[in-house]
Amino acid sequence: MTEANHEMIRRVAAAQATLEEFRDKPFKMGERDCVRMVAAHLRRLGYKVRLPAKGSYASVKTALKALRVRGFGTLADALDAMGLERVAPAATLPGDIVQGESADALGALGIVLSNGRLVGYHEHAPGAAVLQRLSLSAAWRVKLVA
C-alpha cells in the first residue's frame, strides 16, 4: 500500500469516527458544537488542540469572547494559526475542514466525508448530521501529524 493510500484511509476513518461520535447528539454550545467536533477530528489525526474548558462558553457572544481572549477574531483565524493550509472548498479531500454560512457571527465548521458530503451541525437536525456541501466560504487541508 502506498503512503498516499494509507493517508487517505486514515483521513476517511478519522472523519467517520468523528461522525459516529457526534451524530444525533444534541448541539450544546461549549460542550457539543462544531468547534469541539473539529477539535476531536484533528486530535484523531495527531494534532494537539487546546480549547477552553467544556461549559466555559454557552452562547455565540461568550464563544467570540473566548476566541478574542486567545488572540483570534474568528474561527478561521484560529485554524490558520494552527498552520493548516487553506484550499479551495471544491478541492477538499475527506478529512479536511470546511466553513459554511451561519446565522451568527461565529460561523459554522464541518468535516468533509468520503461521499462528497460533510458532517456538521444544522438547525433542522437533532445533532451532528451528514449534510450537503452548499455555500462553503473556506476550507483547510488537514494533513496527518506523525
Side-chain angles (χ1 to χ4, degrees), residues 7 17 22 25 31 48 52 70-72 74 76 92 94 102 114 119 123 125-126 128-129 133 135 138-139 141-142:
E7 180 174 335
F22 287 85
K25 292 186 179 158
E31 292 188 29
K48 291 185 186 334
R70 284 159 181 75
F72 306 113
T74 66
T92 57
S102 174
S114 61
V119 57
E123 62 189 6
R133 297 169 47 141
S135 302
R141 175 65 30 90
V142 178

Side-chain angles (χ1 to χ4, degrees), residues 36 66 131:
R36 298 217 174 260
L131 305 171

Side-chain angles (χ1 to χ4, degrees), residues 3-16:
E3 187 174 327
N5 287 344
H6 176 70
E7 180 174 335
M8 187 58 68
I9 289 168
R10 281 197 54 205
R11 293 167 63 84
V12 169
Q16 185 64 36

Side-chain angles (χ1 to χ4, degrees), residues 64-83:
L64 287 169
K65 181 179 177 184
L67 270 173
R68 285 192 300 274
V69 165
R70 284 159 181 75
F72 306 113
T74 66
L75 291 175
D77 293 340
L79 290 169
D80 290 339
M82 289 185 68

Side-chain angles (χ1 to χ4, degrees), residues 22 25-37 51-67 75 102-109 121 126:
F22 287 85
K25 292 186 179 158
F27 177 89
K28 185 171 183 186
M29 183 74 80
E31 292 188 29
R32 283 180 310 279
D33 56 38
C34 63
V35 171
R36 298 217 174 260
M37 181 180 65
L51 294 176
K54 279 189 177 183
S56 63
Y57 61 92
S59 67
V60 171
K61 182 178 178 181
T62 56
L64 287 169
K65 181 179 177 184
L67 270 173
L75 291 175
S102 174
D104 58 57
L106 192 56
L109 299 177
Y121 283 97

